[in-house]
Amino acid sequence: MGMTVQSLFLIVLYVSIFCCVFSREKYEDDNISRLRMKCVAVISAIGFSFIIMLNVFQLLVPYDQFDAIKQWRMDFFWNGNFVINLAILYYIIFKITARKYRR
């Protein structure tokens, strides 16, 4: 049960992305912390709305295609891509708002 090079690469990639996303700014103050919380709230709203849209879409799909959609949804959420995409989106939104704040 050895670890493949691809899975090792993904683990290193995920850890480095999370280190970049959650690293502190050079000048961290209360306003930057408030911006972080606002960005987390926005990303949470985006993530939950995406999950709700997928569940509604799954209910509207004909029954013979239900299992394929269910399998795709499980693969999408359980392999970590959804969380990584949300983390990257958080990083982008935070950097844009922090740059606007500094000006």
Side-chain angles (χ1 to χ4, degrees):
M1 200 149 146
M3 187 177 290
T4 65
V5 175
Q6 181 183 8
S7 61
L8 184 62
F9 174 74
L10 286 176
I11 290 172
V12 170
L13 179 69
Y14 291 169
V15 169
S16 62
I17 286 173
F18 277 114
C19 286
C20 282
V21 166
F22 295 113
S23 64
R24 294 182 62 87
E25 292 291 311
K26 188 174 182 178
Y27 301 106
E28 187 90 19
D29 61 355
D30 291 338
N31 290 329
I32 296 292
S33 298
R34 196 172 312 121
L35 283 176
R36 284 187 190 275
M37 287 297 115
K38 286 182 181 180
C39 290
V40 167
V42 167
I43 292 301
S44 298
I46 290 172
F48 283 121
S49 63
F50 190 75
I51 290 170
I52 290 169
M53 287 184 338
L54 269 178
N55 285 330
V56 168
F57 177 71
Q58 187 173 345
L59 290 174
L60 298 175
V61 164
Y63 188 74
D64 58 340
Q65 297 174 355
F66 182 78
D67 288 335
I69 297 295
K70 185 177 176 184
Q71 183 62 38
W72 175 83
R73 192 180 76 175
M74 292 301 289
D75 290 343
F76 183 74
F77 289 112
W78 285 108
N79 67 5
N81 288 337
F82 186 68
V83 175
I84 292 299
N85 290 336
L86 286 179
I88 292 170
L89 186 62
Y90 163 79
Y91 184 73
I92 291 169
I93 291 173
F94 173 71
K95 288 297 181 180
I96 290 171
T97 54
R99 185 164 293 170
K100 286 180 183 178
Y101 166 72
R102 289 187 187 120
R103 288 184 183 173

